Amino acid sequence: MNFTNNSIEVLTDELVRIDPATGGVTVVGSLGEDARDIDLTLTPNGHLYGLNSVFQDRVDLWTIDQTSGAVTSITQVVGITSAEGLAHSGNDLKIGYSSGGNPTFSDQFADLSATGIISNAISFTVTNTGNDLDLDGLSVGLGNVPFYATDVFHPPSSDFTGLFTVDPAAIIATAIGTFSTPSVFANDLVPLGSDVFMIDHVNDVLHKVNPLTGSLDASVSLTGNGAYFGVAVAPSVVSEPATLVLLGFGVAGVVYRRRRKVNR
């Protein structure tokens, strides 16, 4: 299937489109704002949202014009200073964020209103590993799976990226597969058809994963300047069935987890 994805080039503060078949990157336009640690999601009503986290300072919800690339509205998310995941259920937004104990660990999944209010927060323990889930990337699911998430684990205990299913109603998260880092370093993910695509800002690669087996089926190198954060389906795919609607994941930077842009 031919399609393109929205993403953010944080070095140039631009909205871009990515061709997952070729890795070609096309600039849509300037955001007009300073992108830091950003995640994307595109709701079925056609609104492209960005969650921009200025680490341990503030988290803003952006609305982005998909024609010009410009940020058209900014709402500060109330009560938090670090977040890594943004998804949707229907037209309602979901957020993965840090509750404050560890700013690099997004342990909370919650509803997020367009006015920046968080509610109904929960956390997950992964059923088949016993670990707490860090929502480094978040997306809508496929079929009976409500959501997918990525979690980047770090030394000294481990060094890999995990893909998980997340069911908020049952408060269950399940590991699907793991991939060694730094060869796979996913900050966001988005499903399309029967596959899940993970964007990798460290290696400037788009990875295709089978969500049933957790196998890494393909990786394509991305052109352009690199440092792509967040991924969401582009407008051309919005008319597809709801199960094909893609969205973005979260990102937060520190040490091994994310490389962060120097303050300007």
Side-chain angles (χ1 to χ4, degrees):
M1 175 180 291
N2 294 323
F3 68 99
T4 56
N5 290 328
N6 288 306
S7 188
I8 301 296
E9 164 55 90
V10 299
L11 297 179
T12 58
D13 296 323
E14 293 172 320
L15 177 68
V16 301
R17 297 270 161 74
I18 295 175
D19 183 338
T22 65
V25 176
T26 303
V27 174
V28 176
S30 174
L31 296 167
E33 298 291 337
D34 188 12
R36 298 297 185 88
D37 184 348
I38 190 162
D39 191 22
L40 297 176
T41 195
L42 181 70
T43 54
N45 59 9
H47 293 163
L48 179 62
Y49 292 99
L51 190 70
N52 191 47
S53 181
V54 182
F55 187 61
Q56 290 188 282
D57 183 7
R58 59 182 287 145
V59 178
D60 291 325
L61 179 66
W62 291 354
T63 303
I64 303 171
D65 187 298
Q66 296 177 83
T67 301
S68 68
V71 175
T72 58
S73 69
I74 301 175
T75 301
Q76 184 172 0
V77 180
V78 177
I80 63 171
T81 59
S82 300
E84 299 180 273
L86 182 66
H88 67 270
S89 177
N91 292 316
D92 297 325
L93 297 176
K94 307 295 180 179
I95 185 174
Y97 70 98
S98 169
S99 59
N102 181 349
T104 71
F105 196 90
S106 293
D107 58 328
Q108 300 292 302
F109 176 99
D111 298 331
L112 176 63
S113 74
T115 57
I117 303 299
I118 291 173
S119 60
N120 303 317
I122 57 175
S123 59
F124 298 94
T125 298
V126 181
T127 57
N128 47 352
T129 68
N131 297 322
D132 293 335
L133 181 61
D134 178 9
L135 298 163
D136 287 330
L138 188 61
S139 81
V140 69
L142 292 170
N144 294 325
V145 176
F147 298 94
Y148 292 114
T150 58
D151 187 356
V152 180
F153 298 82
H154 305 289
S157 60
S158 55
D159 189 11
F160 60 91
T161 293
L163 176 64
F164 302 83
T165 60
V166 175
D167 185 345
I171 317 181
I172 291 174
T174 305
I176 303 172
T178 58
F179 318 95
S180 63
T181 57
S183 57
V184 177
F185 209 102
N187 70 62
D188 204 354
L189 68 173
V190 53
L192 181 66
S194 60
D195 298 306
V196 171
F197 291 85
M198 304 190 305
I199 195 160
D200 181 337
H201 64 287
V202 171
N203 301 294
D204 295 328
V205 167
L206 191 68
H207 304 286
K208 184 173 76 170
V209 178
N210 183 323
L212 298 178
T213 64
S215 62
L216 182 63
D217 291 345
S219 298
V220 59
S221 296
L222 304 178
T223 64
N225 294 313
Y228 300 107
F229 280 74
V231 63
V233 66
S236 61
V237 187
V238 175
S239 60
E240 297 288 341
T243 55
L244 300 188
V245 176
L246 313 184
L247 55 95
F249 342 54
V251 204
V254 332
V255 191
Y256 209 154
R257 178 178 308 245
R258 312 266 148 108
R259 75 177 173 227
R260 186 171 291 279
K261 207 165 45 169
V262 176
N263 290 339
R264 297 172 179 171

